[in-house]
Amino acid sequence: MRTRGITQADFHQIVSVIDYWWGGPTSALAHPMFFHEYGHHALIVEESERMVGFLLGFVTDRAPRVGYIHLVGIDPEVRRRGVGRRLYEQFARQARVEGAVALKAITTPGNQGSLDFHKANGYTVDFVEDYAGPGRARYVFTRAIDAAALVDPAGG
Ligand SMILES: CC(C)(COP(=O)(O)OP(=O)(O)OC[C@H]1O[C@@H](n2cnc3c(N)ncnc32)[C@H](O)[C@@H]1OP(=O)(O)O)[C@@H](O)C(=O)NCCC(=O)NCCS
């Protein structure tokens, strides 16, 4: 497996698989600004030159800077093989270089896989009523960037 930054062709590929990978309409979350404005933070994982996972995120401007993971998706056929963890760790390394001291992500109530993934990866979990507006609760995940945990795996 190989982790690398994304190209325009990769972004097109993300948009074409996302509904299938999520099991429902999700493509609106892959907003083009995550390629055109924030593409230098975006990552994919390839296996045998096929994209098997992606991460779209950015680093916030104000101190303390935070690496915000907007969207992560793994091909259903390769889940539970460490691809999500690999993407988060690479994103954390990049965010840290840009001065981020913490990571943050959110997910909707009912996304048990996402909740379990973030818990397993050391995130603090808060359930916040009205986080996304009236009646729109979200799980909010946060974790300090632990420099000691960011050893670069062989091959990137
Ligand atoms: C959530 C998601 C990103 C996890 O990716 P993944 O590559 O399968 O996760 P990893 O293999 O790196 O998992 C690391 C650990 O997280 C936990 N974990 C991950 N997915 C889990 C699940 N569905 N149920 C329970 N625990 C889970 C496990 O502890 C796992 O370690 P283990 O397999 O050794 O037990 C993936 O399931 C996905 O793409 N889901 C659909 C999209 C989505 O919900 N994205 C997140 C919100 S934007």
Side-chain angles (χ1 to χ4, degrees):
M1 285 191 193
R2 182 164 84 106
T3 309
R4 64 167 174 78
I6 71 167
T7 64
Q8 176 84 75
D10 296 326
F11 188 74
H12 290 175
Q13 174 78 358
I14 289 167
V15 171
S16 71
V17 299
I18 190 169
D19 290 350
Y20 166 59
W21 285 13
W22 258 255
T26 316
S27 59
L29 290 177
H31 193 285
M33 71 180 170
F34 287 101
F35 175 69
H36 294 287
E37 275 72 37
Y38 295 130
H40 54 295
H41 296 295
L43 296 166
I44 68 161
V45 171
E46 287 179 315
E47 185 174 56
S48 305
E49 300 189 18
R50 185 174 72 89
M51 181 181 73
V52 294
F54 69 85
L55 183 153
L56 305 178
F58 61 95
V59 177
T60 60
D61 293 334
R62 283 181 298 182
R65 301 191 78 189
V66 172
Y68 185 92
I69 299 113
H70 167 67
L71 199 62
V72 61
I74 312 303
D75 185 330
E77 290 175 18
V78 300
R79 287 187 189 163
R80 304 299 293 268
R81 284 178 48 199
V83 177
R85 179 173 279 156
R86 183 186 183 102
L87 283 163
Y88 268 59
E89 289 299 316
Q90 179 61 31
F91 178 75
R93 279 190 285 276
Q94 293 178 186
R96 185 166 178 270
V97 167
E98 295 193 24
V101 295
L103 300 171
K104 179 177 177 181
I106 66 172
T107 206
T108 46
N111 191 341
Q112 190 64 39
S114 177
L115 182 59
D116 290 339
F117 170 78
H118 286 92
K119 280 184 181 169
N121 283 289
Y123 283 74
T124 299
V125 181
D126 291 303
F127 184 78
V128 184
E129 300 283 358
D130 298 344
Y131 182 88
R136 289 157 52 92
R138 293 290 184 272
Y139 285 110
V140 179
F141 308 117
T142 49
R143 198 193 88 177
I145 294 183
D146 178 1
L150 298 181
V151 178
D152 199 359

